[in-house]
């Protein structure tokens, strides 16, 4: 019969984990054309769940035994496809295969994608006939909950299902905080549909989950970099870019290890990155406002890495992303550049496509279209380095 996998994204936050589990369950109870076994897969190694205190607590609170869940290191998608056992892939909370699957290009996993449910910018890296539900709402859980209201409304009367979906919605939108600019009318509607079945008020539930997510007291620098991490190939596959979202300011992060700079270098080398971005976010205790920082770390082995940052900053400026230089941050690699984002509403969802567009410009030059590049003020092509 074979198996259909419902795959969450590689950051594997609460929203992604919830959507993988509950969209697979929805497909199971409704049939929906999937005449085979359905397996939700959390797109990180099993050991990495320990880094996600909010997800661990949520799953335990609804009585879900995590030993019954399937993680990235529990399933070999490439082998399953090779023997004809992997029949299809459904992507939730992303619309392009993650780095672990994309780097197995010869496996041809992309051709098995049959459906996508996501709330990120459409990267159009999938077959043309894929069923798509891609909407720029605050949370993918909002889209999954909406599918339940249409196809299995009775299931939303289940406290466990409603609580899991509400957790995804609240965490991704900051409990509908307008200052974050993430929540939409659709998110608000689904939160109101789901909250009556939960045992706590949305505010209480959100605070509990948020505090668990923000408690990184036991995590090392490496843990923080990989806890909420996504990676892409950009510029036609010529450049590897990773973005780590970290829920503390870079100054506090620097207290985690005796040598944070070495830990960052090691991570960048391990992932073979041409560019690492660290997006730090927290509440400023001096004025109580939510703020974001951005750290840019080009690979030290990339040709012209010293000029990459000014050119990337120019691209950010032209894209409406305003940054202010932060000086005096200690324990970073010397090549690092640290900035305060002047608009705290801009998250990884906006930064990633902007960086991708920048590397598309790089590819334009690399292809030798110098005349077009010069006319648009582009620049010469750096050579891939990889690592730190």
């Amino acid at each position: 019969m074979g198996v259909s996998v419902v795959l969450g994204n590689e950051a594997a936050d609460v929203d992604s984990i919830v959507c993988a589990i509950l969209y697979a369950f929805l497909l199971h109870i409704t049939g929906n054309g999937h005449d085979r076994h359905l397996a939700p897969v959390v797109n990180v190694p099993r050991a990495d769940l320990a880094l996600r205190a909010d997800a661990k607590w949520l799953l335990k609170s609804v009585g879900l035994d995590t030993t019954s869940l399937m993680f990235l290191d529990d399933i070999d998608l490439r082998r399953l496809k090779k023997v004809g056992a992997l029949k299809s892939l459904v992507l939730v909370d992303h619309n392009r295969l993650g780095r672990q699957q994309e780097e197995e290009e010869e496996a041809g996993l992309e051709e098995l994608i049959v459906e996508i449910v996501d709330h990120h910018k459409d990267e159009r890296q999938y077959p043309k006939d894929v069923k798509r539900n891609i909407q720029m709402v605050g949370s993918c859980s909002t889209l999954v909950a909406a599918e339940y209201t249409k196809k299995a409304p009775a299931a939303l009367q289940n406290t466990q299902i409603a609580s899991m979906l509400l957790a995804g919605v609240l965490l991704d939108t900051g409990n509908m905080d307008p200052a974050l600019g993430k929540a939409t009318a659709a998110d608000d509607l689904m939160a109101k549909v789901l909250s009556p079945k939960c045992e706590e008020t949305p505010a209480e539930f959100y605070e509990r989950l948020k505090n668990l997510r923000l408690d990184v007291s036991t995590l090392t620098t490496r843990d923080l970099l990989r806890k909420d991490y996504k990676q892409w190939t950009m510029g036609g596959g010529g450049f590897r870019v990773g973005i780590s979202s970290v829920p503390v300011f870079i100054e506090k992060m620097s207290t985690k290890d005796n040598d944070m700079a070495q830990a960052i270098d090691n991570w960048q080398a391990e992932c073979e990155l041409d560019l690492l971005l660290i997006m730090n976010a927290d509440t400023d205790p001096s004025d109580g406002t939510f703020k974001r920082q951005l750290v840019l770390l080009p690979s030290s082995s990339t040709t012209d890495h010293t000029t990459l940052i000014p050119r990337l900053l120019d691209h950010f400026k032209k894209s409406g992303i305003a940054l202010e230089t932060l000086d005096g941050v200690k324990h970073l690699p010397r090549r690092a550049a640290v900035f305060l984002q002047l608009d705290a509403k801009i998250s990884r969802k906006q930064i990633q496509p902007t960086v991708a567009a920048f590397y598309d410009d790089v590819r334009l030059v690399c292809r030798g279209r110098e005349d077009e590049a010069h006319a648009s003020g582009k620049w010469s092509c750096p050579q891939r380095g990889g690592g730190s």
Side-chain angles (χ1 to χ4, degrees):
M1 179 179 285
V3 63
S4 290
V5 167
V6 181
L7 186 66
N9 71 36
E10 63 183 332
D13 60 0
V14 164
D15 189 39
S16 182
I17 294 173
V18 164
C19 288
I21 295 169
L22 292 184
Y23 198 64
F25 183 65
L26 179 64
L27 292 175
H28 170 69
I29 62 177
T30 60
N32 204 38
H34 292 264
D35 57 346
R36 52 187 63 97
H37 296 298
L38 285 152
V41 174
V42 181
N43 204 357
V44 291
R46 180 175 294 274
D48 284 7
L49 183 63
L51 305 178
R52 296 158 172 82
D54 50 352
K56 281 184 62 179
W57 176 85
L58 176 67
L59 297 174
K60 183 178 180 180
S61 73
V62 299
L64 200 159
D65 182 2
T66 57
T67 62
S68 67
L69 286 179
M70 192 170 293
F71 289 79
L72 186 62
D73 47 356
D74 296 322
I75 185 169
D76 187 338
L77 297 178
R78 178 181 178 180
R79 180 178 177 277
L80 286 176
K81 181 180 184 296
K82 186 176 182 180
V83 300
L86 181 61
K87 300 302 182 181
S88 63
L89 283 172
V90 177
L91 305 186
V92 293
D93 205 20
H94 62 317
N95 60 72
R96 174 180 175 178
L97 288 173
R99 62 179 173 124
Q100 296 286 354
Q101 295 82 43
E102 204 168 54
E103 288 178 359
E104 295 184 349
E105 186 175 345
E106 71 279 7
L109 294 176
E110 181 182 289
E111 65 189 44
L112 293 181
I113 301 172
V114 298
E115 187 174 359
I116 294 171
V117 182
D118 186 37
H119 68 129
H120 298 90
K121 182 178 179 180
D122 190 349
E123 297 191 54
R124 303 185 184 280
Q125 299 291 317
Y126 46 77
K128 291 182 179 179
D129 58 349
V130 168
K131 180 181 178 182
R132 301 183 300 279
N133 180 7
I134 302 175
Q135 302 179 50
M136 296 294 285
V137 295
S139 172
C140 190
S141 292
T142 292
L143 301 179
V144 173
E147 290 298 301
Y148 269 89
T149 64
K150 291 184 285 187
K151 299 174 182 177
L156 293 182
Q157 299 304 307
N158 179 282
T159 297
Q160 286 83 0
I161 292 175
S163 296
M164 290 173 70
L165 289 168
L166 183 62
V169 175
L170 296 180
L171 281 170
D172 266 22
T173 63
N175 193 22
M176 308 297 154
D177 185 352
L180 299 181
K182 293 184 175 183
T184 67
D187 300 297
D188 185 60
L189 175 61
M190 285 302 104
K192 290 175 179 175
V193 168
L194 298 167
S195 58
K197 294 303 299 180
C198 298
E199 297 175 353
E200 296 178 288
T201 67
E204 293 169 338
F205 193 37
Y206 171 69
E207 283 301 312
R208 182 192 297 272
L209 288 164
K210 183 186 74 170
N211 289 337
L212 285 166
R213 172 174 283 189
L214 296 181
D215 183 7
V216 295
S217 57
T218 62
L219 303 186
T220 64
T221 295
R222 185 176 186 277
D223 291 337
L224 288 172
L225 291 173
R226 66 192 180 97
K227 177 177 182 287
D228 189 354
Y229 175 77
K230 291 184 180 181
Q231 183 173 316
W232 300 263
T233 54
M234 297 180 179
F239 301 92
R240 290 181 179 176
V241 177
I243 304 181
S244 296
S245 291
V246 179
V248 292
F249 290 138
I250 190 65
E251 294 87 352
K252 184 175 181 179
M253 186 176 166
S254 68
T255 66
K256 286 288 178 182
D257 290 300
N258 294 331
D259 194 348
M260 182 175 75
Q262 187 61 55
I264 291 173
D265 280 346
N266 290 346
W267 177 251
Q268 189 161 6
E270 180 180 336
C271 298
E272 299 183 315
L273 297 176
D274 296 285
L275 178 66
L276 171 64
L277 298 89
I278 305 174
M279 299 189 68
N280 300 82
D282 204 350
T283 299
D284 188 338
S286 67
D287 57 15
T289 60
F290 177 79
K291 294 181 180 178
R292 290 186 185 272
Q293 300 169 330
L294 180 64
V295 184
L296 304 177
L297 288 138
S299 167
S300 61
S301 57
T302 299
T303 304
D304 292 335
H305 77 272
T306 56
T307 58
L308 184 142
I309 288 179
R311 290 160 175 167
L312 181 55
L313 291 178
D314 183 61
H315 186 84
F316 279 145
K317 184 177 180 180
K318 291 176 180 177
S319 303
I321 299 175
L323 302 171
E324 180 181 289
T325 301
L326 290 178
D327 295 318
V329 180
K330 299 178 180 180
H331 310 304
L332 283 168
R334 293 182 63 181
R335 66 188 181 281
V338 187
F339 304 92
L340 173 70
Q341 289 184 206
L342 299 186
D343 184 354
K345 293 180 180 179
I346 295 175
S347 66
R348 183 165 57 191
K349 284 174 70 174
Q350 291 77 40
I351 294 291
Q352 182 269 327
T354 303
V355 177
F358 169 77
Y359 277 109
D360 282 342
D361 288 346
V362 174
R363 179 178 59 172
L364 178 69
V365 178
C366 292
R367 283 178 168 177
R369 293 162 62 182
E370 297 288 351
D371 52 345
E372 187 175 345
H374 290 313
S376 57
K378 306 302 189 304
W379 52 288
S380 60
C381 178
Q383 298 298 310
R384 268 211 81 223
S388 62

PDB file of all heavy atoms in Angstrom, residues 169-178 180 183 202-204 206-207:
ATOM      1  N   VAL A 169      -1.505  28.854  16.768  1.00  0.00           N
ATOM      2  CA  VAL A 169      -1.992  30.184  16.390  1.00  0.00           C
ATOM      3  C   VAL A 169      -1.457  31.252  17.337  1.00  0.00           C
ATOM      4  O   VAL A 169      -0.937  32.298  16.906  1.00  0.00           O
ATOM      5  CB  VAL A 169      -3.533  30.214  16.362  1.00  0.00           C
ATOM      6  CG1 VAL A 169      -4.030  31.636  16.099  1.00  0.00           C
ATOM      7  CG2 VAL A 169      -4.079  29.263  15.307  1.00  0.00           C
ATOM      8  N   LEU A 170      -1.565  31.015  18.637  1.00  0.00           N
ATOM      9  CA  LEU A 170      -1.163  32.027  19.618  1.00  0.00           C
ATOM     10  C   LEU A 170       0.341  32.288  19.604  1.00  0.00           C
ATOM     11  O   LEU A 170       0.784  33.436  19.670  1.00  0.00           O
ATOM     12  CB  LEU A 170      -1.604  31.603  21.018  1.00  0.00           C
ATOM     13  CG  LEU A 170      -3.120  31.503  21.253  1.00  0.00           C
ATOM     14  CD1 LEU A 170      -3.401  31.073  22.688  1.00  0.00           C
ATOM     15  CD2 LEU A 170      -3.818  32.822  20.946  1.00  0.00           C
ATOM     16  N   LEU A 171       1.147  31.233  19.522  1.00  0.00           N
ATOM     17  CA  LEU A 171       2.593  31.430  19.534  1.00  0.00           C
ATOM     18  C   LEU A 171       3.076  32.152  18.283  1.00  0.00           C
ATOM     19  O   LEU A 171       3.949  33.018  18.349  1.00  0.00           O
ATOM     20  CB  LEU A 171       3.305  30.083  19.670  1.00  0.00           C
ATOM     21  CG  LEU A 171       3.358  29.507  21.082  1.00  0.00           C
ATOM     22  CD1 LEU A 171       3.877  28.071  21.057  1.00  0.00           C
ATOM     23  CD2 LEU A 171       4.227  30.363  21.998  1.00  0.00           C
ATOM     24  N   ASP A 172       2.512  31.819  17.136  1.00  0.00           N
ATOM     25  CA  ASP A 172       2.966  32.448  15.892  1.00  0.00           C
ATOM     26  C   ASP A 172       2.522  33.898  15.761  1.00  0.00           C
ATOM     27  O   ASP A 172       3.140  34.664  15.019  1.00  0.00           O
ATOM     28  CB  ASP A 172       2.473  31.650  14.690  1.00  0.00           C
ATOM     29  CG  ASP A 172       3.500  30.630  14.218  1.00  0.00           C
ATOM     30  OD1 ASP A 172       4.373  30.260  15.026  1.00  0.00           O
ATOM     31  OD2 ASP A 172       3.434  30.205  13.053  1.00  0.00           O
ATOM     32  N   THR A 173       1.464  34.276  16.447  1.00  0.00           N
ATOM     33  CA  THR A 173       0.958  35.653  16.341  1.00  0.00           C
ATOM     34  C   THR A 173       1.217  36.483  17.591  1.00  0.00           C
ATOM     35  O   THR A 173       0.841  37.656  17.639  1.00  0.00           O
ATOM     36  CB  THR A 173      -0.560  35.651  16.081  1.00  0.00           C
ATOM     37  OG1 THR A 173      -1.239  35.047  17.208  1.00  0.00           O
ATOM     38  CG2 THR A 173      -0.904  34.890  14.803  1.00  0.00           C
ATOM     39  N   GLY A 174       1.887  35.873  18.594  1.00  0.00           N
ATOM     40  CA  GLY A 174       2.104  36.605  19.838  1.00  0.00           C
ATOM     41  C   GLY A 174       0.801  36.953  20.523  1.00  0.00           C
ATOM     42  O   GLY A 174       0.632  38.052  21.058  1.00  0.00           O
ATOM     43  N   ASN A 175      -0.139  35.991  20.518  1.00  0.00           N
ATOM     44  CA  ASN A 175      -1.470  36.214  21.090  1.00  0.00           C
ATOM     45  C   ASN A 175      -2.149  37.425  20.449  1.00  0.00           C
ATOM     46  O   ASN A 175      -2.713  38.272  21.124  1.00  0.00           O
ATOM     47  CB  ASN A 175      -1.402  36.370  22.613  1.00  0.00           C
ATOM     48  CG  ASN A 175      -2.783  36.277  23.261  1.00  0.00           C
ATOM     49  OD1 ASN A 175      -3.712  35.722  22.675  1.00  0.00           O
ATOM     50  ND2 ASN A 175      -2.915  36.832  24.459  1.00  0.00           N
ATOM     51  N   MET A 176      -2.042  37.504  19.135  1.00  0.00           N
ATOM     52  CA  MET A 176      -2.696  38.549  18.328  1.00  0.00           C
ATOM     53  C   MET A 176      -2.151  39.946  18.624  1.00  0.00           C
ATOM     54  O   MET A 176      -2.832  40.941  18.406  1.00  0.00           O
ATOM     55  CB  MET A 176      -4.225  38.553  18.536  1.00  0.00           C
ATOM     56  CG  MET A 176      -4.876  37.219  18.351  1.00  0.00           C
ATOM     57  SD  MET A 176      -4.702  36.587  16.674  1.00  0.00           S
ATOM     58  CE  MET A 176      -4.831  34.839  16.973  1.00  0.00           C
ATOM     59  N   ASP A 177      -0.914  40.028  19.092  1.00  0.00           N
ATOM     60  CA  ASP A 177      -0.338  41.323  19.440  1.00  0.00           C
ATOM     61  C   ASP A 177      -0.163  42.171  18.176  1.00  0.00           C
ATOM     62  O   ASP A 177       0.615  41.817  17.285  1.00  0.00           O
ATOM     63  CB  ASP A 177       1.024  41.109  20.105  1.00  0.00           C
ATOM     64  CG  ASP A 177       1.641  42.401  20.621  1.00  0.00           C
ATOM     65  OD1 ASP A 177       1.099  43.481  20.337  1.00  0.00           O
ATOM     66  OD2 ASP A 177       2.686  42.311  21.298  1.00  0.00           O
ATOM     67  N   PRO A 178      -0.857  43.304  18.076  1.00  0.00           N
ATOM     68  CA  PRO A 178      -0.736  44.131  16.868  1.00  0.00           C
ATOM     69  C   PRO A 178       0.666  44.700  16.676  1.00  0.00           C
ATOM     70  O   PRO A 178       1.060  45.029  15.552  1.00  0.00           O
ATOM     71  CB  PRO A 178      -1.773  45.237  17.084  1.00  0.00           C
ATOM     72  CG  PRO A 178      -2.016  45.263  18.565  1.00  0.00           C
ATOM     73  CD  PRO A 178      -1.832  43.859  19.032  1.00  0.00           C
ATOM     74  N   LEU A 180       3.369  43.165  16.779  1.00  0.00           N
ATOM     75  CA  LEU A 180       4.180  42.225  16.006  1.00  0.00           C
ATOM     76  C   LEU A 180       3.789  42.216  14.537  1.00  0.00           C
ATOM     77  O   LEU A 180       4.574  41.795  13.680  1.00  0.00           O
ATOM     78  CB  LEU A 180       4.049  40.815  16.579  1.00  0.00           C
ATOM     79  CG  LEU A 180       4.499  40.608  18.023  1.00  0.00           C
ATOM     80  CD1 LEU A 180       4.337  39.151  18.430  1.00  0.00           C
ATOM     81  CD2 LEU A 180       5.950  41.047  18.202  1.00  0.00           C
ATOM     82  N   ALA A 183      -0.658  38.853  13.118  1.00  0.00           N
ATOM     83  CA  ALA A 183      -2.018  38.322  13.139  1.00  0.00           C
ATOM     84  C   ALA A 183      -2.870  38.927  12.028  1.00  0.00           C
ATOM     85  O   ALA A 183      -2.769  40.108  11.705  1.00  0.00           O
ATOM     86  CB  ALA A 183      -2.664  38.590  14.490  1.00  0.00           C
ATOM     87  N   PRO A 202      -7.109  32.193  26.493  1.00  0.00           N
ATOM     88  CA  PRO A 202      -6.020  32.347  25.532  1.00  0.00           C
ATOM     89  C   PRO A 202      -4.809  33.067  26.115  1.00  0.00           C
ATOM     90  O   PRO A 202      -3.666  32.693  25.827  1.00  0.00           O
ATOM     91  CB  PRO A 202      -6.669  33.152  24.405  1.00  0.00           C
ATOM     92  CG  PRO A 202      -8.104  32.763  24.466  1.00  0.00           C
ATOM     93  CD  PRO A 202      -8.402  32.603  25.936  1.00  0.00           C
ATOM     94  N   ALA A 203      -5.062  34.095  26.939  1.00  0.00           N
ATOM     95  CA  ALA A 203      -3.946  34.842  27.531  1.00  0.00           C
ATOM     96  C   ALA A 203      -3.117  33.956  28.455  1.00  0.00           C
ATOM     97  O   ALA A 203      -1.878  33.982  28.420  1.00  0.00           O
ATOM     98  CB  ALA A 203      -4.470  36.060  28.288  1.00  0.00           C
ATOM     99  N   GLU A 204      -3.788  33.157  29.296  1.00  0.00           N
ATOM    100  CA  GLU A 204      -3.072  32.273  30.221  1.00  0.00           C
ATOM    101  C   GLU A 204      -2.307  31.186  29.453  1.00  0.00           C
ATOM    102  O   GLU A 204      -1.149  30.876  29.771  1.00  0.00           O
ATOM    103  CB  GLU A 204      -4.062  31.621  31.186  1.00  0.00           C
ATOM    104  CG  GLU A 204      -4.715  32.590  32.152  1.00  0.00           C
ATOM    105  CD  GLU A 204      -5.878  31.961  32.909  1.00  0.00           C
ATOM    106  OE1 GLU A 204      -6.436  30.955  32.413  1.00  0.00           O
ATOM    107  OE2 GLU A 204      -6.228  32.486  33.980  1.00  0.00           O
ATOM    108  N   TYR A 206      -1.264  31.261  26.348  1.00  0.00           N
ATOM    109  CA  TYR A 206      -0.149  31.859  25.616  1.00  0.00           C
ATOM    110  C   TYR A 206       1.025  32.162  26.540  1.00  0.00           C
ATOM    111  O   TYR A 206       2.183  31.880  26.192  1.00  0.00           O
ATOM    112  CB  TYR A 206      -0.591  33.141  24.920  1.00  0.00           C
ATOM    113  CG  TYR A 206       0.557  33.924  24.327  1.00  0.00           C
ATOM    114  CD1 TYR A 206       1.264  33.436  23.241  1.00  0.00           C
ATOM    115  CD2 TYR A 206       0.949  35.145  24.882  1.00  0.00           C
ATOM    116  CE1 TYR A 206       2.330  34.137  22.702  1.00  0.00           C
ATOM    117  CE2 TYR A 206       2.014  35.864  24.351  1.00  0.00           C
ATOM    118  CZ  TYR A 206       2.703  35.342  23.264  1.00  0.00           C
ATOM    119  OH  TYR A 206       3.766  36.043  22.753  1.00  0.00           O
ATOM    120  N   GLU A 207       0.755  32.734  27.709  1.00  0.00           N
ATOM    121  CA  GLU A 207       1.835  33.066  28.642  1.00  0.00           C
ATOM    122  C   GLU A 207       2.595  31.828  29.076  1.00  0.00           C
ATOM    123  O   GLU A 207       3.825  31.838  29.175  1.00  0.00           O
ATOM    124  CB  GLU A 207       1.275  33.808  29.862  1.00  0.00           C
ATOM    125  CG  GLU A 207       0.945  35.263  29.612  1.00  0.00           C
ATOM    126  CD  GLU A 207       2.150  36.078  29.157  1.00  0.00           C
ATOM    127  OE1 GLU A 207       3.216  35.963  29.797  1.00  0.00           O
ATOM    128  OE2 GLU A 207       2.023  36.816  28.165  1.00  0.00           O
TER     129      GLU A 207
END
